Amino acid sequence: MINLRDKGAEFWERSNRPVRVLTVFAIMAVVAALPYAGNTFLQTPVAAFDAVLVYPMGMFILMALGLNVVVGKSGMLDLGYVAFFAVGAYTMAILGTRTGLNTWEIMPIGIAAAMFAGVLLAIPTLRLRGDYLAIVTLGFGEIVRVSALNTEAIGGALGIAGVPFPPGLGFEYQLLDQKYFYWTILVMILLVIWVIRRLTVRRPGRAWESIRQDEDAAELMGVSTYKYKIWAFVFGAAIGGGAGVFYASRSMVIAPDNFTLNTSILILACVVFGGMGNIWGVIVGATILGYLPDRFRFLSDARLLLFGLVLVVFMNLRPEGILPRKKREKAIVKKGSGASL
Amino acid sequence: MSKTILNLKDLTIKFGGVTALNSVNLELKEGEILALIGPNGAGKTTVFNLITGVYKPTSGNVFLGDLAIDGKKRHHITKLGIARTFQNIRLFGDMTTLENVITGTDVRNKVGLIGSMFGTPRSRREEKASIAKAYEILKFIGIDEYADRLAKNLPYGVQRRLEIARALGTEPKILLLDEPAAGFNPQEKVDLAAIIKKIRDAGYTILLIEHDMSLIMGISDRVVVLDFGQKIADDLPSVVQNDPQVIAAYLGVPADAS
Ligand SMILES: Nc1ncnc2c1ncn2[C@@H]1O[C@H](COP(=O)(O)OP(=O)(O)OP(=O)(O)O)[C@@H](O)[C@H]1O
Ligand SMILES: [Mg+2]
């Protein structure tokens, strides 16, 4: 099968700066114009296309990017990622309905709360590996959900309603026309990509990569594996939390049912399907897995079954995902810098 | 006589009922190449594992200078200046040759996640210096032409040498080499011996596990022999070579039978 990832990377390397800038702008223009494509073949039958762009698609991409740092880059199987999304969402819902703070003011608080939850989970569990880690994180995700379910002060099973929209920034966020929500989440995604790319090509990225490939060897080469594993978790949690804040503020109502194990698994599927460890692959994976179920809703009940089937078949044909992780023989760094020696 | 930089005192380790090392004393002098030899299962790799903190001794201590390092975290020991290679190659296969070495150099870097994220001047300075240093090491070891290749795709001999390069990346005082010539043909062994000598001449102290006698005789200043977890000889190569106890250990007959 053709390797799209390498084709893309080769194109990128062959191009000079103006071509690159143009490419980026062209892609951005197309992506940004998507809310206007609602009346085309892209239209989703039940939910409005612009709403689908925000959730699940945009949210999935954001969360998949965050989870990819933990699973794809660092090799830790986290089955409870939705917990951080929930912490962010509940922070937004509680503060948004009970204080005068608005979404943008709550955002850093929600992210901090999710990061704190990340530390809480990471410190006792990161000594575990593989399956054990997966099971404990799965438990953590469920604990968060069940706690919300059983805490009447935050609405119990009914959750919290009346979460305010974000205040407009020269425009108004609207329920029936969600393009502003979409553009906001686009900005969030770009920001996250930018940060992840920086981290990946620098020391933290190398530490994560080495941990994924051989944790003991990494430790013996001086990588503080424990510290970097915590960082991976906390960083992933921050993104999940940020997505959660925005999700609550857009959805107006949140309930424990929004944060089930299913979501964790779906996000994980996006990561694996798209290509573990490769942010572009993850984005493609989340886009497809976020979109298709809404597009083909007429399949109704068989939807998830069919969906699972496609995944199984696909993963057999292409186990490394759509855009696999780096395969090319090329360092992440510029060669020139060492030449003077 | 130069000073002792690594000192193993009465080192004993037991795995269940097996005593892998029994009260081993060993001094590593600054700037020497000390060979650690012995039959299979003698406990050589276990010595490395104790020095690098993979195992904690059942009793006894490991001193780096005056500092007892047994019980310290593994990455901390690396930072204190001890680096190793692995008998079974354990490179980061999905990284390039250069990235493997840069990962080693990171132990000397100070920048953390936040600094990397914001691209602080220090982060950029350190990244640049690490890349330059890694290239320098690859050239020094003679594998710079493979810089951009993924480690898992490298020829076997290059992988072995990359193990050494990655360890050098951590800027150790002491380099522990676990059978670096395993699987090499005679010519490759000669080349490797030259590299090891070159490393020593560059100011490193080397503890070398090796089975090939001619290689050992050619480059080591001193030889320590382990047999069944006991030190049975510790002397100049020429002396050890003719030690009846050592010969017996290798031939598998009791010393007094010879
Ligand atoms: N983690 C462990 N658990 C149990 N036994 C161990 C462990 N590590 C080492 N041993 C035992 O300690 C003894 C020494 O092993 P070691 O690997 O140090 O030998 P070696 O001298 O390096 O041999 P070789 O030349 O084959 O590499 C062996 O009997 C081995 O089975
Ligand atoms: Mg061994």
Side-chain angles (χ1 to χ4, degrees), chain A residues 292-334:
Chain A
L292 285 190
D294 267 291
R295 177 69 178 81
F296 299 108
R297 245 172 214 268
F298 60 88
L299 295 166
S300 179
D301 288 344
R303 183 166 66 112
L304 276 176
L305 180 72
L306 210 87
F307 192 46
L309 215 69
V310 170
L311 265 182
V312 169
V313 171
F314 182 85
M315 293 319 290
N316 271 302
L317 291 176
R318 209 177 166 99
E320 293 205 69
I322 301 174
L323 301 180
R325 89 171 69 245
K326 174 173 69 181
K327 274 260 182 57
R328 290 163 321 127
E329 314 260 80
K330 177 87 177 71
I332 44 164
V333 290
K334 293 243 163 48

Side-chain angles (χ1 to χ4, degrees), chain B:
Chain B
M1 188 119 181
S2 56
K3 70 176 198 268
T4 301
I5 60 170
L6 187 73
N7 198 350
L8 313 189
K9 281 215 170 110
D10 279 327
L11 220 46
T12 298
I13 184 163
K14 296 183 175 150
F15 297 107
V18 182
T19 305
L21 287 179
N22 191 0
S23 197
V24 170
N25 287 286
L26 194 154
E27 286 187 26
L28 188 62
K29 309 275 185 211
E30 191 158 28
E32 75 174 339
I33 297 178
L34 174 60
L36 185 58
I37 68 170
N40 290 113
K44 305 178 296 294
T45 300
T46 304
V47 169
F48 277 19
N49 283 335
L50 284 166
I51 296 172
T52 53
V54 176
Y55 301 145
K56 289 187 188 17
T58 310
S59 64
N61 293 98
V62 179
F63 289 98
L64 178 64
D66 297 325
L67 185 70
I69 58 167
D70 46 279
K72 288 203 184 299
K73 291 210 169 65
R74 291 168 294 173
H75 71 263
H76 191 62
I77 292 173
T78 310
K79 193 161 186 178
L80 288 171
I82 300 178
R84 69 179 284 178
T85 65
F86 298 95
Q87 183 173 354
N88 321 308
I89 298 171
R90 291 180 74 169
L91 295 167
F92 306 124
D94 282 340
M95 289 190 196
T96 64
T97 301
L98 187 66
E99 285 163 359
N100 267 276
V101 183
I102 299 176
T103 306
T105 68
D106 274 333
V107 73
R108 300 290 159 216
N109 288 339
K110 300 210 160 48
V111 68
L113 189 106
I114 305 292
S116 300
M117 189 155 106
F118 290 107
T120 55
R122 180 169 74 183
S123 117
R124 268 175 282 158
R125 199 176 345 109
E126 286 185 353
E127 285 290 324
K128 243 182 118 177
S130 272
I131 294 165
K133 191 161 85 187
Y135 256 109
E136 196 177 4
I137 291 168
L138 288 182
K139 280 191 189 132
F140 183 75
I141 299 293
I143 53 173
D144 54 313
E145 61 177 301
Y146 299 97
D148 284 349
R149 299 274 299 274
L150 292 185
K152 64 179 174 197
N153 297 340
L154 294 172
Y156 174 80
V158 180
Q159 290 188 341
R160 280 248 172 254
R161 283 191 278 168
L162 176 53
E163 280 261 338
I164 301 175
R166 182 178 65 174
L168 285 178
T170 67
E171 290 182 29
K173 294 198 265 285
I174 301 168
L175 186 60
L176 311 178
L177 303 175
D178 198 343
E179 303 196 17
F184 276 15
N185 64 33
Q187 182 55 47
E188 288 174 317
K189 281 183 182 167
V190 171
D191 294 345
L192 183 78
I195 291 174
I196 294 175
K197 263 192 175 151
K198 200 165 106 177
I199 294 170
R200 192 268 306 276
D201 294 343
Y204 298 87
T205 305
I206 294 170
L207 181 54
L208 166 72
I209 296 177
E210 190 42 65
H211 281 297
D212 187 294
M213 278 301 172
S214 58
L215 193 147
I216 290 164
M217 296 307 148
I219 61 172
S220 49
D221 301 302
R222 201 152 56 90
V223 178
V224 167
V225 187
L226 284 181
D227 188 28
F228 288 112
Q230 308 257 11
K231 186 165 97 171
I232 58 168
D234 182 345
D235 217 318
L236 298 174
S238 51
V239 179
V240 166
Q241 202 170 15
N242 299 314
D243 185 323
Q245 219 187 339
V246 174
I247 295 166
Y250 269 91
L251 296 178
V253 289
D256 46 19
S258 54

